[in-house]
Amino acid sequence: MRYKTVAIVLIAVFTGLLMINYVQDMGSHSLPEQQIYSQTRSLMDTTVTITVVSSNETSAIEIIDNAFEKIKYIDELMNNYDNSSEISILNKDDKVTDADPELVSVIDRSIYYSEKSNGAFDISIQPILDLWASKYAPGGTNQPPTSDEINQTLKLVNYSAIIVEGNNVSMNEGMKITLGGVAKGYAVDVAIESLKSDGISSGFVNAGGDGRYIGTKPDGSLWRVGLQNPDKSGDAVTIMNIRDVAVATSGNYERYFSDEAKVSHIADPRTGYPSSNLISSTVIAKTAMDADALATSVFILGEKDGLAMIEKLDGVECLIITNDKKIIRSSGFSSYESN
């Protein structure tokens, strides 16, 4: 399943690729009955890591399994490349009736993000993504779409035409939506709630860069999460000390419609063209879905408008890397950083 067609998150935990997660040696400082248990699996077209702090290995493994099952369910529900999924039915028929409440909730929340970002985030962007992808697919022109093609396709991009009534969702004929910008974040949130309901108060879930952290490490210290330097693999721009929040990053330096042309895979739903306002935007928020969608929104809005949006939201902070390599923080971001 192709998640992150709208947002490309560039943070990963314990993968050694895009996130540098600093887990200190607990040694003699940890409580003897508390240990870290972790499993990593491939789900949602990415690497998913679930880590818990527990005193019982058997229980910890069972709890982790339960959380993975929750993620698997979300993957199946929101996979628009599975013709039998409800989102595929919506894209084919322009409507879906008696939909799964979780799908309805994510679509409804996505409309909220669109409103907050003045349309910079829009799950109905799929036709534009399809247009660009077709140009660089085998047999394509290997050239950008024409302005006429883009303008014609933009007529199908309109989040305000997505109507949610109870558990029924409908939209204009020919529209298609993608939840690639929020589904992994939502799956992380669902997995965290599963851990909590099973009695876990400390741990984290990371799905391809969407990470949410609860509680502390066994020694009582905060989780330390590093944001990779886009110019130097293995180097961190900053280290965040976090607890009971989520972190997500959208960036312009990993996936492209065309590797040769370096055409960004992140498109602006307002213009139909790839976004190139920033190198990356990192957002800290209460939930992974919020961090996920808002990081995309900031990336597309750019420095001025992106920061203005974040400053209006309670409990949300961001760090921006501009095209000229400047690092800009929202007013409260530094409170999460290591001294």
Side-chain angles (χ1 to χ4, degrees), residues 8-120:
I8 309 302
V9 175
L10 301 179
I11 293 181
V13 176
F14 286 153
T15 64
L17 295 175
L18 303 174
M19 171 76 85
I20 309 158
N21 188 46
Y22 292 80
V23 180
Q24 298 174 330
D25 181 8
M26 301 308 165
S28 60
H29 298 291
S30 63
L31 296 174
E33 71 274 11
Q34 294 290 311
Q35 297 186 51
I36 290 179
Y37 299 95
S38 183
Q39 288 190 17
T40 298
R41 302 181 189 177
S42 293
L43 280 170
M44 305 186 83
D45 282 349
T46 192
T47 300
V48 181
T49 297
I50 299 180
T51 296
V52 301
V53 176
S54 176
S55 59
N56 186 305
E57 181 178 7
T58 300
S59 175
I61 292 173
E62 181 179 350
I63 288 169
I64 290 172
D65 283 341
N66 290 342
F68 271 120
E69 284 301 312
K70 299 289 187 180
I71 294 175
K72 182 180 178 182
Y73 175 74
I74 298 302
D75 185 18
E76 294 171 349
L77 177 66
M78 301 183 186
N79 189 338
N80 58 335
Y81 294 94
D82 177 356
N83 292 333
S84 64
S85 70
E86 289 186 350
I87 192 171
S88 291
I89 294 171
L90 173 61
N91 285 340
K92 179 172 67 73
D93 298 339
D94 308 316
K95 64 180 180 180
V96 60
T97 58
D98 196 24
D100 188 295
E102 292 197 85
L103 177 64
V104 175
S105 176
V106 170
I107 291 174
D108 197 44
R109 185 66 175 174
S110 296
I111 295 172
Y112 162 84
Y113 299 134
S114 296
E115 293 170 345
K116 288 295 181 182
S117 65
N118 293 320

Side-chain angles (χ1 to χ4, degrees), residues 109 111-118 120-121 245 282-287 289-299 301 304-318 330-333 335-336:
R109 185 66 175 174
I111 295 172
Y112 162 84
Y113 299 134
S114 296
E115 293 170 345
K116 288 295 181 182
S117 65
N118 293 320
F121 182 90
V245 293
T282 297
V283 168
I284 298 176
K286 286 297 184 182
T287 70
M289 186 164 67
D290 283 350
D292 198 353
L294 293 173
T296 305
S297 302
V298 171
F299 184 83
L301 286 168
K304 182 179 178 181
D305 292 341
L307 277 173
M309 178 190 69
I310 293 298
E311 296 291 5
K312 293 177 182 177
L313 300 174
D314 293 334
V316 180
E317 302 295 341
C318 74
S330 61
S331 58
F333 190 90
S335 66
Y336 290 99

Side-chain angles (χ1 to χ4, degrees), residues 11-14 19-26 36 203-204 206 212-228 236 238-245 247 284 335-339:
I11 293 181
V13 176
F14 286 153
M19 171 76 85
I20 309 158
N21 188 46
Y22 292 80
V23 180
Q24 298 174 330
D25 181 8
M26 301 308 165
I36 290 179
F204 67 82
N206 183 281
R212 184 171 164 187
Y213 304 77
I214 58 174
T216 65
K217 291 182 285 187
D219 66 353
S221 63
L222 301 183
W223 300 104
R224 290 168 57 82
V225 179
L227 174 63
Q228 181 187 302
T238 188
I239 307 297
M240 293 164 279
N241 295 310
I242 57 179
R243 173 181 184 173
D244 299 331
V245 293
V247 183
I284 298 176
S335 66
Y336 290 99
E337 294 178 285
S338 299
N339 294 325

